[in-house]
Amino acid sequence: MKNFNLPDPGEGLTEADVVSWKVQPGDTVTVNQIIIEVETAKSLVELPIPFAGKITELLVAEGDTVDVGAPIISVEVEGSEPAADPTGDAPAAEADEAGESSGPNLVGYGAKAGSTRRRARKGSAPATADPAAGAPGTSEPAAPAAPAAAAPAPAEPLSPQATRALAKPPVRKLAKDLGVDLQSITPTGEGGIVTRADVETASSGASGDGAAAAGAVAPQDTAIADGPAQSRVPIKGVRKATAEAMVSSAFTAPHVSEFVTVDVTAMMEMVERLKGDRSFKDVKVTPLLVVAKAFTLALRRHAQANASWDGAAQEIVYHRDVNLGIAAATPRGLLVPNIKAADRLSLHDLAGALGDLVATARDGKTQPADLGGGTATITNVGVFGVDTGTPILNPGEAVILAFGAVRRTPWVVTAADGSESIEPRWVTQLALSFDHRLVDGELGSILLADVAALLHDPGTAFLWA
């Protein structure tokens, strides 16, 4: 019998939430077969198992938060002896043996020495506790009659999945976000399935018949319009990571924000031309693409702004490449994946990279490696109809550019002979926040002015070649 421990999905993360199991007890698995999907503070990750065998028990349930190194599944491999202890704990010799794979191992997924013993999560019962009192996924304490459970039970304990409530993944996520225990809900759906209405009713403390929740809207709207005066959602996952990063950045780096309003009619005309260009047919051309290219060109021209502050070493780190982050609003929250060496890409390749980055982020498939190592960021607030803002720096970066909505606006146009006229033009606002430890007012102003100049007249780029 072997236990597979939760590996570090990347970037030194310490825990992950179980989103869904891809296997069930009794299934046979092969080497490197995907068995589970977990959510970290940075991304959704599908994990393969490094050995083959028959699944005997799922040690954690969907919705559980699991420490890296804790066992998550037991597998009976060929030639191994079945475990006598149903909790999955094994003598030290067996535990060490369980950390080794019987077949090819994925890089980065090998078990760590000494990490094969199951560790209790915060707020959960010890691994050796009675399964009925501390089964993963159970948020309510055991009934007062629990002392009787201390005596050895003649029957084999049920696995966490044996009595798992039936619900679709979106409903499970909603229950998780609202802090509702699916096991405590009386299902009203066909076949005993817990519905969204059941979860919302349980969250609001209603009777549980689900009738009042018919036609409910999105969870956040329901909480305001139809729910209780207050509702609480656990701070975890992406929201927790984002909050910690923003607080750290806001109270560590002295922020300065500057703004400029610019006529981008030439940029918009360029976008329309590129959309009709045969060489750009396989990529999506948007104003954000041109802004991204302009920002990378300006950062290459002013490399001092493509830097990081290393307080521990008391050094300023200047980066060769512009690893351009794009703030993306996803169902999981705010993510900032970045395009490595974006300044080295052609406009066509940058368009392809942008498309892949956004699609991957929205699908929740961004890998931890794509979220680290950024050197500068763009936040496109214009897609929400917002003109500008004062963005907070992504930790470890010196600059972040906010791109506002592009609007038709009356604009004073000066002709070659000096005469002026008011014409409708495409106009946007740009905001640049920078770390004043690294970027002084002059450098920040020139950087922002250069980005604006490129958007006003893309041909300016030829003057910098």
Side-chain angles (χ1 to χ4, degrees):
M1 187 75 66
K2 288 190 176 183
N3 286 345
F4 176 53
N5 302 328
L6 178 69
D8 179 0
E11 300 295 313
L13 301 172
T14 60
E15 64 181 23
D17 297 334
V18 178
V19 176
S20 64
W21 280 104
K22 309 297 184 183
V23 294
Q24 294 296 327
D27 291 351
T28 300
V29 293
T30 58
V31 174
N32 290 344
Q33 178 179 335
I34 299 298
I35 61 167
I36 190 173
E37 183 178 43
V38 299
E39 179 181 23
T40 71
K42 296 185 176 182
S43 62
L44 287 175
V45 181
E46 291 183 331
L47 299 179
I49 190 166
F51 46 81
K54 183 178 180 179
I55 306 297
T56 59
E57 185 179 6
L58 306 182
L59 301 177
V60 294
E62 293 178 358
D64 279 3
T65 299
V66 185
D67 292 333
V68 168
I72 59 175
I73 190 171
S74 291
V75 180
E76 183 178 345
V77 298
E78 185 177 353
S80 67
E81 293 293 331
D85 186 353
T87 63
D89 290 336
E94 293 182 19
D96 292 338
E97 186 179 320
E100 301 173 4
S101 66
S102 59
N105 219 340
L106 288 184
V107 175
Y109 289 128
K112 302 180 204 175
S115 68
T116 54
R117 293 189 62 81
R118 190 173 184 181
R119 294 184 290 167
R121 297 181 300 278
K122 292 182 180 180
S124 67
T128 55
D130 175 63
T138 303
S139 62
E140 296 184 359
E156 182 179 353
L158 293 175
S159 72
Q161 298 294 323
T163 58
R164 185 163 62 92
L166 298 177
K168 295 181 179 179
V171 176
R172 290 187 180 281
K173 185 177 188 306
L174 174 61
K176 176 182 172 184
D177 292 342
L178 295 179
V180 174
D181 179 14
L182 286 174
Q183 302 289 90
S184 66
I185 297 177
T186 301
T188 62
E190 183 178 354
I193 295 178
V194 177
T195 67
R196 174 181 289 270
D198 294 337
V199 173
E200 291 166 344
T201 301
S203 175
S204 64
S207 62
D209 60 7
V217 293
Q220 60 269 30
D221 296 330
T222 302
I224 295 172
D226 303 322
Q230 291 183 344
S231 60
R232 292 176 176 264
V233 176
I235 301 172
K236 59 197 304 185
V238 172
R239 175 56 58 193
K240 180 179 179 180
T242 300
E244 292 173 348
M246 293 299 96
V247 169
S248 174
S249 177
F251 292 98
T252 301
H255 283 56
V256 174
S257 296
E258 294 187 341
F259 312 88
V260 65
T261 303
V262 56
D263 174 3
V264 293
T265 303
M267 178 194 78
M268 298 301 288
E269 293 172 348
M270 175 184 175
V271 168
E272 291 305 313
R273 287 197 303 271
L274 290 177
K275 287 180 179 179
D277 193 310
R278 294 175 58 184
S279 61
F280 282 81
K281 287 295 185 182
D282 59 333
V283 294
K284 186 175 182 178
V285 179
T286 65
L288 177 61
L289 168 63
V290 183
V291 172
K293 187 63 176 178
F295 195 30
T296 59
L297 287 173
L299 283 169
R300 290 197 68 172
R301 193 179 189 204
H302 305 288
Q304 307 97 310
N306 191 42
S308 300
W309 182 275
D310 188 343
Q314 286 296 291
E315 295 175 339
I316 296 175
V317 182
Y318 293 105
H319 304 287
R320 179 195 63 191
D321 298 328
V322 178
N323 296 337
L324 183 63
I326 304 294
T330 75
R332 298 177 56 241
L334 175 66
L335 295 177
V336 190
N338 63 80
I339 301 170
K340 300 297 190 288
D343 56 313
R344 297 171 180 264
L345 300 179
S346 66
L347 190 62
H348 176 275
D349 291 345
L350 183 59
L354 270 175
D356 293 342
L357 176 147
V358 173
T360 303
R362 287 177 179 167
D363 290 342
K365 301 299 183 183
T366 302
Q367 296 302 305
D370 295 328
L371 294 165
T375 65
T377 295
I378 294 176
T379 176
N380 185 12
V381 299
V383 296
F384 306 109
V386 175
D387 291 323
T388 190
T390 54
I392 296 178
L393 292 164
N394 205 25
E397 300 177 8
V399 290
I400 180 171
L401 180 73
F403 174 36
V406 181
R407 306 182 187 279
R408 291 292 280 175
T409 304
W411 194 261
V412 177
V413 177
T414 304
D417 60 2
S419 61
E420 297 180 340
S421 60
I422 298 178
E423 301 178 10
R425 307 285 287 182
W426 289 109
V427 176
T428 191
Q429 293 186 50
L430 304 174
L432 183 74
S433 290
F434 51 87
D435 184 342
H436 216 339
R437 298 174 300 178
L438 293 160
V439 180
D440 58 26
E442 179 185 22
L443 177 58
S445 299
I446 293 175
L447 177 64
L448 180 59
D450 277 358
V451 175
L454 286 168
L455 301 185
H456 175 67
D457 180 9
T460 302
F462 288 104
L463 303 176
W464 299 350

